[in-house]
Amino acid sequence: MIKKQLVEEFDTVLDNNPFKKNSDNYTIKNLFGVDLNQSETIQFGQKIETWLNRILYKRDNVKCYTIKKLWINTETNHVQEGGKSKNMKDVDILFKVNNVSHYLELKTNLQLDTEKQKATRDKIKKITSCLNKNGKYEKVVGKILSPFWGKNSSIMSSFKNDEVVWISELFDLVGLNITEREYNDVCIEIGKNITKRLNSRVDLEEFMK
């Protein structure tokens, strides 16, 4: 009897104070249909970065500079290709199309706290400036890149619209013809391939390396 009363009492609490639905429930894990923890999600973001660089590299009208890892010294503006480097900043995605170079900092989550917002803006501003001073690249424009198709009410963002390039805008820029539905299907298929590998008992840490 007491158990029933306790349950009913909580039901009354829920009736009077229902849960508020969170509008930011559409995440990178929803887009690809995978269930990953925080560490794995960070690694997955790195995989997406590599994937997009490979796509850009294979476009005839695009010059992709980050098919190999690219590093820049923000003190000297020196750029290093490949390998690992200390005291240098990594350049996520850098490519040239129509005589303009685009530096994009990939973010799978756009809802950042104030400190991380500032760090992201500062990094983009600094690297964009250094790349322009380097002299090797055409006029460089720096922005955030989101792997989501476009802005909608289910995706929370701490950034202004003109600070973000959505994946649909990137595809338009380089002339890659794909619809939103096709892109979502591609993401789900990739997610299925990840899940298949996990279900075949491939160690996740090895797969994510």
Side-chain angles (χ1 to χ4, degrees), residues 2 6 22 90 94 128 138 170 196:
I2 185 65
L6 292 175
N22 196 341
D90 62 308
L94 179 64
T128 301
E138 298 282 350
L170 174 63
K196 182 178 179 181

Side-chain angles (χ1 to χ4, degrees), residues 20-164:
K20 296 179 180 178
K21 292 184 178 180
N22 196 341
S23 60
D24 67 341
N25 60 351
Y26 193 69
T27 66
I28 194 68
K29 291 183 284 188
N30 297 125
L31 179 61
F32 286 86
V34 291
D35 185 18
L36 305 173
N37 62 36
Q38 183 177 4
S39 173
E40 294 156 0
T41 301
I42 292 172
Q43 294 176 67
F44 189 36
Q46 295 168 344
K47 299 293 183 187
I48 295 172
E49 177 187 319
T50 301
W51 175 55
L52 292 174
N53 274 312
R54 288 172 61 88
I55 291 171
L56 292 170
Y57 180 74
K58 293 182 179 181
R59 299 293 300 169
D60 292 336
N61 61 326
V62 175
K63 170 67 175 176
C64 181
Y65 299 104
T66 42
I67 188 63
K68 292 183 179 180
K69 196 65 180 176
L70 203 67
W71 306 88
I72 189 163
N73 186 315
T74 55
E75 298 296 327
T76 66
N77 306 319
H78 171 71
V79 171
Q80 174 184 309
E81 183 181 284
K84 296 182 178 180
S85 184
K86 294 182 179 180
N87 303 319
M88 298 180 81
K89 298 288 187 181
D90 62 308
V91 181
D92 285 5
I93 297 173
L94 179 64
F95 65 95
K96 181 176 73 174
V97 63
N98 298 328
N99 297 319
V100 177
S101 293
H102 299 265
Y103 157 54
L104 300 177
E105 179 78 7
L106 180 68
K107 289 293 179 184
T108 58
N109 176 21
L110 296 176
Q111 191 176 20
L112 305 180
D113 60 36
T114 302
E115 184 177 347
K116 290 182 179 179
Q117 287 178 49
K118 184 179 184 304
T120 298
R121 289 188 175 100
D122 288 348
K123 180 183 179 183
I124 293 173
K125 182 178 179 180
K126 184 64 175 178
I127 290 181
T128 301
S129 175
C130 291
L131 289 169
N132 277 310
K133 291 176 181 177
N134 177 273
K136 180 179 177 181
Y137 312 98
E138 298 282 350
K139 176 177 173 55
V140 181
V141 178
K143 291 191 177 185
I144 296 165
L145 173 65
S146 171
F148 295 101
W149 186 259
K151 175 68 176 175
N152 64 58
S153 60
S154 296
I155 302 172
M156 300 298 290
S157 175
S158 305
F159 300 93
K160 299 176 182 177
N161 286 338
D162 62 359
E163 294 180 291
V164 179

Side-chain angles (χ1 to χ4, degrees), residues 1-12:
M1 186 68 175
I2 185 65
K3 290 192 295 183
K4 182 179 179 181
Q5 289 177 339
L6 292 175
V7 171
E8 289 177 347
E9 195 62 39
F10 201 89
D11 280 342
T12 301

Side-chain angles (χ1 to χ4, degrees), residues 52 56 93 95 104 145 165-176:
L52 292 174
L56 292 170
I93 297 173
F95 65 95
L104 300 177
L145 173 65
V165 172
W166 302 94
I167 199 72
S168 59
E169 296 174 319
L170 174 63
F171 290 159
D172 285 343
L173 183 63
V174 300
L176 183 60

